[in-house]
Amino acid sequence: MRSYWLKQELERSPAKPQPLSGDITADICIVGGGYTGLWTALHIKESDPSVDIAVIERDICGGGASGRNGGFCMTWASKAPLLYPVCGGQETVRMVEASEAAVRAIGQFCADNGIECEFRHDGWLWTASSEAQRDAWRGSIDVLDKLGLHPFDELSSDEVARRSGSERHIAGVYEKGTATVQPAALARGLARVCAERGVRIYENTSMTELGRSAQPYVRTDRGMVKATKVVLALNAWAHELPEFRRAIMPICADVVATSPIPEVLEKLGLNDGMAISDSRTMVDYYRRTADGRMVYGKGGGSFPFAGRVGSRFDTESSRPDDVRAAMLRNYHGLSDAPIVATWRGPATRTATGLPMFGRLKGAPAIVYGHGYTGNGVGPSYNGGRILAALALDRKDEWSECPLVGSEGKLLPPEPFRYLGGLAVRAAVRAKDNADDQERKSGLLTRYLAGLAPSGLTARTDDRN
Ligand SMILES: Cc1cc2nc3c(=O)[nH]c(=O)nc-3n(C[C@H](O)[C@H](O)[C@H](O)COP(=O)(O)OP(=O)(O)OC[C@H]3O[C@@H](n4cnc5c(N)ncnc54)[C@H](O)[C@@H]3O)c2cc1C
């Protein structure tokens, strides 16, 4: 199931997949043609154009989360309380600043290479839509203040209501570093530039076996790539490899898009590409598209037993009415706006709320990066830098950054994870409902909801 974004992009520029047929060699084989894999290829080519790279993609480039997301191209400022315990002060400052530079670099790269992905650098309004969410950003601001970083402007309630176009938003902060993009246009554009720079891209080609030897190989449905290095840029699908089964949890996120309603959105004051989210654990995130639609997403949907991704995330949203109801709770005025597209896709959560990078145990020629936990559009640019440095055996601030090899906490094994996950999700839903109605939820509900790992942002109780 293609997202509305990807369908729109494919109408403009149809895909011409070239599957791998036969056995080939490459210096570096990248498995996964989303942002992570494609930025890795581009960073490698930038650093050494002579490196021969083959990208293996099961679907078409952008067919995974990169072509289906909400298009928030965010920094890591809100994740400072998660970065600080892992990275320490100096490195947290570097990571946050590098994440801000990454958003600017993505915009510049698109401008330089004719990638028309509606990159709009209009910032992010991080709001509370209930009293319980008020000050959700305090943990992030406290850590950032301590480090001398001040990316968030605190706004009055009136200003938050005005900028968001709805009085349901009772408090909030604004960060100007965030941009928004048409996500599939970005992914397809990166793939085009990769091909122009000599990267061989094999779409409709699945890795069916990974050879974890000194000279690794990637067996595919109709061939094989022997490479000096392999980069696994598989996002949720990394879960299919035993090494990562307890490291990441694929969770479904759902998105709906209205028909174009520019006049209605203008009346609300929604004139640009500003990203807006609330602060519930199953976060609501929304924005106006360049062609005047409201796109509204909701995190925290279903998750599979034992994390088997399969094709369950490749359908229309299974809860479009819930997502629409969430949209109408914030924007009653959109009740007449038809929902013309719904879709879903796999986001990954890690126990730390941060992505992880490293070399496969016992097979150092295979490197991996995944687990952006709802915030990968911007950070995958630097994720690609980390993977490029690892694949090229460079010793630099990227290969040696504290996110490399820091697997952190493991998620519980099955069946405890699935059963526990169901209980936590029910508690989060109950708490979110109670918060919406300004009721206090029960102690057990709050305790269980508190076990949910951080998502798009660090939670208030994640502060150091
Ligand atoms: C609905 C939704 C909304 C989101 N909204 C946002 C947002 O607004 N902002 C934000 O920052 N993040 C968001 N995210 C997360 C963001 O999309 C991801 O963090 C980001 O796209 C990760 O890029 P990636 O390249 O690592 O993964 P992907 O784009 O998922 O790429 C992995 C690729 O690997 C391929 N693959 C898998 N298995 C194999 C195999 N065996 N062989 C070959 N190829 C294989 C897949 O087909 C896929 O194309 C959202 C995610 C979802 C699902």
Side-chain angles (χ1 to χ4, degrees):
M1 166 81 197
R2 303 269 185 246
S3 71
Y4 149 75
W5 302 124
L6 191 50
K7 284 184 191 155
Q8 194 185 49
E9 190 49 27
L10 293 176
E11 269 166 31
R12 262 201 298 255
S13 176
K16 296 173 189 130
Q18 293 204 342
L20 175 66
S21 172
D23 295 358
I24 59 165
T25 58
D27 295 329
I28 299 179
C29 175
I30 298 175
V31 192
Y35 301 138
T36 302
L38 298 170
W39 281 125
T40 302
L42 289 164
H43 290 312
I44 292 172
K45 280 284 183 193
E46 189 186 309
S47 128
D48 183 351
S50 71
V51 177
D52 177 30
I53 304 172
V55 171
I56 299 297
E57 167 54 50
R58 182 190 66 124
D59 185 357
I60 56 170
C61 291
S66 297
R68 308 187 203 184
N69 61 72
F72 284 30
C73 184
M74 305 178 85
T75 74
W76 266 349
S78 71
K79 297 220 174 201
L82 306 177
L83 288 165
Y84 189 75
V86 178
C87 300
Q90 211 179 333
E91 192 59 11
T92 298
V93 171
R94 189 179 78 79
M95 297 296 249
V96 170
E97 289 180 343
S99 72
E100 293 167 343
V103 175
R104 294 191 296 273
I106 292 170
Q108 192 59 52
F109 187 89
C110 293
D112 291 347
N113 291 283
I115 299 178
E116 291 174 14
C117 67
E118 299 164 13
F119 180 90
R120 291 178 293 169
H121 211 160
D122 295 326
W124 169 40
L125 195 58
W126 181 4
T127 74
S129 60
S130 68
E131 283 301 329
Q133 294 171 28
R134 200 183 272 279
D135 247 12
W137 38 87
R138 190 58 51 204
S140 297
I141 290 184
D142 285 353
V143 173
L144 290 162
D145 274 351
K146 193 157 81 177
L147 298 172
L149 299 174
H150 309 287
F152 290 104
D153 296 335
E154 303 212 30
L155 304 178
S156 69
S157 316
D158 286 350
E159 186 61 7
V160 174
R162 188 187 71 73
R163 290 199 197 184
S164 65
S166 154
E167 294 192 344
R168 280 292 304 204
H169 304 96
I170 57 173
V173 290
Y174 173 76
E175 186 221 13
K176 68 172 185 303
T178 289
T180 50
V181 294
Q182 201 283 33
L186 175 59
R188 299 296 299 163
L190 295 180
R192 171 181 56 78
V193 180
C194 277
E196 286 165 5
R197 296 188 183 176
V199 176
R200 287 177 289 156
I201 297 182
Y202 300 100
E203 296 180 310
N204 285 351
T205 301
S206 275
M207 172 176 77
T208 52
E209 184 191 332
L210 175 66
R212 295 161 172 80
S213 48
Q215 165 147 42
Y217 64 86
V218 171
R219 199 178 293 283
T220 68
D221 11 25
R222 289 178 295 272
M224 161 137 93
V225 187
K226 279 192 187 145
T228 312
K229 295 281 166 53
V230 170
V231 177
L232 300 175
L234 291 167
N235 185 28
W237 290 273
H239 198 275
E240 289 168 356
L241 301 176
E243 288 89 344
F244 304 120
R245 218 145 273 168
R246 289 190 56 198
I248 54 173
M249 178 157 178
I251 300 188
C252 193
D254 296 71
V255 187
V256 304
T258 68
S259 60
I261 43 166
E263 297 84 10
V264 180
L265 297 180
E266 261 143 46
K267 261 196 207 142
L268 295 172
L270 298 177
N271 301 315
D272 62 14
M274 183 177 66
I276 311 173
S277 73
D278 66 10
S279 303
R280 64 187 73 230
T281 309
M282 291 186 185
V283 67
D284 286 13
Y285 51 98
Y286 31 102
R287 67 185 179 92
R288 180 199 159 123
T289 61
D291 64 352
R293 298 165 196 269
M294 173 65 96
V295 165
Y296 204 99
K298 196 158 182 54
S302 58
F303 49 88
F305 180 74
R308 281 184 207 109
V309 183
S311 56
R312 78 191 62 229
F313 294 146
D314 296 335
T315 62
E316 292 189 343
S317 169
S318 61
R319 47 175 184 152
D321 294 343
D322 291 353
V323 185
R324 180 169 178 272
M327 179 178 83
L328 296 186
R329 200 171 46 232
N330 285 335
Y331 297 102
H332 317 284
L334 301 193
S335 54
D336 291 335
I339 300 294
V340 292
T342 80
W343 65 94
R344 64 202 308 227
T348 49
R349 288 214 174 182
T350 61
T352 60
L354 293 171
M356 51 188 69
F357 302 89
R359 296 184 187 279
L360 215 58
K361 270 197 194 95
I366 301 174
V367 305
Y368 63 84
H370 47 241
Y372 295 98
T373 310
N375 176 354
V377 178
S380 57
Y381 181 88
N382 287 334
R385 279 189 151 160
I386 294 174
L387 292 172
L390 288 173
L392 293 172
D393 287 329
R394 297 255 152 92
K395 266 188 177 275
D396 62 14
E397 75 271 31
W398 296 109
S399 62
E400 305 209 331
C401 95
L403 296 180
V404 175
S406 70
E407 266 134 59
K409 292 182 275 180
L410 290 178
L411 295 159
E414 295 293 12
F416 305 106
R417 177 166 51 167
Y418 183 70
L419 297 174
L422 289 178
V424 168
R425 190 182 63 185
V428 168
R429 283 186 179 163
K431 180 176 177 308
D432 282 349
N433 284 339
D435 290 350
D436 285 340
Q437 294 161 21
E438 304 296 358
R439 283 190 287 112
K440 196 162 174 130
S441 41
L443 200 60
L444 181 63
T445 300
R446 275 181 288 148
Y447 171 75
L448 285 172
L451 297 178
S454 281
L456 189 69
T457 58
R459 293 207 318 260
T460 28
D461 46 353
D462 288 323
R463 76 183 78 177
N464 189 37

